[in-house]
Amino acid sequence: MTEGHPDKVADAISDSVLDAAVAEDEMARVACEVFVTTRLAVVGGEISGAKLDVASIVEETVRRIGYDGFDPGFAAGDLEIQDRVQPQSPDISDGVDRELGAGDQGLMFGFAVDETAEWMPLPIQLAHRMAERLTEVRKTGKLEYLRPDGKTQVMVRYEGDRPVAVEKVLISAHHARDKDQEEMRQEVFDAVVAAVIPEDMLDPHIGFIFNPSGRFEVGGPVADTGLTGRKIIVDTYGGYARHGGGAFSGKDATKVDRSAAYGARWAAKNVVASGLARKAEIQLSYAIGQAEPFSIHVETFGTEQVAPERIENVIKEVFDFRPAAIIERLQLRRPVFAATAAYGHFGRPEFSWERLDMVDALKGAAGL
């Protein structure tokens, strides 16, 4: 998804509100949900510890994404903005404040695999980078007719569990009126597909599908409503790994839907980078108000280099998955979340949960 997809617009507003709150008060509690449609943005949820100008945040975010007046149905300077934010429930706050327990109960997963330099599944990594490239060529003017909305999808051929070729690419790209589809198709292939897919993975007979429904002149929240948290598989591993069901955007780090998923990804990536396994999935579960995880489970899919039970014990020895410990180690009290709202929360080295800073500790604990 590009940042102009309706659901991603909602995610971006939610995370921009979160960043503004954390910038004002690092202990702010935020659960911000957004609904966007034609000429309307509704911001709701719970915020404690910060006083925000929500309307200004919405307008600035929408303008940054690129909805700056080309379509009067959704333009930064001409939106009805409804602010329905209220304080957090004291029952939840009291439970979370005790030893900084988990802000909710549930399952969270982290995953890593050695098939890309970023330790991500190849299909979702390529799809995200092509979505980023669509935005880049739009904003630089290389393909000036592109608009903010867009989707990418990649089909990769595997032999065994190893990717060997990209066989199909699907791109839907929002565009200005009266553009020739075939001309756009070739230009998008050259500027986006060929620029992102490694040459050795580019099947010579690749199937490239561009705007399969025909024209894509009406897009964004005018064409479809957007809601925060509706793209959880796009945000994570593209369906390659399991997902606990909780969305990320608009939630401060006391919400384990977000922080524990980041912590589990951090651990899984370090496990794979350390050579303990070629593929690792870590499942954490929590009880609301309780600091220690309810359970920790590790799956290495037969790729482990030491006994699976040993890997699980090593992870428990090396990593502290209490919410307070994750927040401190990954520095999650900073306004870093708006950047996560599009192009994936994982596989991007600028984020603290992508650090490979526990490899030596894992090797030492495992006796490697």
Side-chain angles (χ1 to χ4, degrees):
M1 303 288 173
T2 62
E3 61 191 30
H5 183 280
D7 294 328
K8 292 283 111 191
V9 172
D11 284 343
I13 294 170
S14 292
D15 276 333
S16 295
V17 168
L18 169 60
D19 274 359
V22 173
E24 182 177 316
D25 178 1
E26 67 174 17
M27 303 301 288
R29 296 289 168 75
V30 180
C32 178
E33 312 291 343
V34 173
F35 168 87
V36 289
T37 188
T38 303
R39 295 187 176 86
L40 175 66
V42 180
V43 183
E46 299 78 46
I47 300 178
S48 297
K51 302 295 184 183
L52 304 177
D53 183 350
V54 170
S56 293
I57 295 169
V58 172
E59 185 172 336
E60 179 183 339
T61 304
V62 170
R63 181 173 287 109
R64 172 177 53 79
I65 289 170
Y67 290 106
D68 53 5
F70 67 85
D71 185 343
F74 195 80
D78 191 24
L79 286 175
E80 178 188 351
I81 300 169
Q82 297 184 12
D83 179 354
R84 296 293 185 269
V85 171
Q86 60 186 7
Q88 184 185 49
S89 159
D91 292 343
I92 295 175
S93 181
D94 290 346
V96 172
D97 285 340
R98 290 193 305 270
E99 302 181 56
L100 193 58
D104 204 349
Q105 69 182 57
L107 302 176
M108 298 84 206
F109 289 90
F111 180 77
V113 62
D114 69 351
E115 62 189 46
T116 64
E118 299 81 9
W119 314 98
M120 286 287 287
L122 182 63
I124 190 66
Q125 190 69 11
L126 291 177
H128 280 316
R129 302 296 72 82
M130 282 193 284
E132 274 186 322
R133 180 66 177 162
L134 276 173
T135 297
E136 179 185 344
V137 297
R138 169 175 63 89
K139 289 187 171 180
T140 61
K142 184 178 180 67
L143 300 181
E144 78 287 347
Y145 50 78
L146 291 180
R147 298 299 190 228
D149 198 355
K151 299 180 184 180
T152 62
Q153 193 166 328
V154 179
M155 189 177 84
V156 175
R157 184 172 78 250
Y158 282 71
E159 292 181 359
D161 66 348
R162 310 306 289 179
V164 296
V166 177
E167 292 194 332
K168 290 184 181 180
V169 171
L170 167 59
I171 292 181
S172 295
H174 186 196
H175 60 84
R177 295 187 182 278
D178 302 322
K179 298 300 297 184
D180 181 81
Q181 291 292 317
E182 277 306 310
E183 189 176 299
M184 281 194 296
R185 180 184 184 277
Q186 187 60 54
E187 290 179 349
V188 169
F189 182 88
D190 293 340
V192 176
V193 180
V196 169
I197 298 177
E199 189 174 348
D200 62 343
M201 296 296 293
L202 195 58
D203 190 300
H205 305 293
I206 188 171
F208 177 46
I209 303 170
F210 179 75
N211 284 355
S213 64
R215 294 178 302 169
F216 190 0
E217 296 175 352
V218 180
V222 173
D224 191 10
T225 58
L227 291 171
T228 300
R230 202 157 56 173
K231 291 295 180 284
I232 59 176
I233 299 303
V234 169
D235 284 346
T236 53
Y237 308 102
Y240 195 111
R242 283 171 281 202
H243 195 295
F248 300 157
S249 287
K251 298 176 182 177
D252 74 82
T254 66
K255 281 70 171 175
V256 283
D257 279 342
R258 185 168 217 158
S259 55
Y262 290 177
R265 161 64 180 174
W266 171 51
K269 183 176 179 180
N270 277 268
V271 165
V272 175
S274 71
L276 291 176
R278 290 193 300 105
K279 185 185 299 187
E281 181 182 78
I282 298 175
Q283 174 194 286
L284 305 175
S285 69
Y286 292 85
I288 191 167
Q290 302 298 307
E292 292 289 344
F294 186 74
S295 68
I296 301 173
H297 176 71
V298 181
E299 173 62 72
T300 50
F301 308 95
T303 68
E304 62 276 356
Q305 303 303 304
V306 299
E309 59 271 17
R310 179 62 180 146
I311 295 175
E312 188 165 308
N313 289 335
V314 164
I315 290 171
K316 292 176 180 178
E317 177 183 338
V318 170
F319 290 95
D320 185 345
F321 291 118
R322 292 175 300 160
I326 294 173
I327 289 168
E328 180 179 2
R329 188 59 186 260
L330 300 183
Q331 300 173 289
L332 299 181
R333 299 261 187 221
R334 300 172 297 140
V336 297
F337 301 106
T340 69
Y343 316 119
H345 292 244
F346 308 124
R348 298 168 62 187
E350 64 266 33
F351 298 143
S352 60
W353 48 93
E354 294 293 313
R355 295 172 183 163
L356 292 176
D357 55 353
M358 303 299 285
V359 169
D360 290 342
L362 286 165
K363 285 181 175 179
L368 296 181

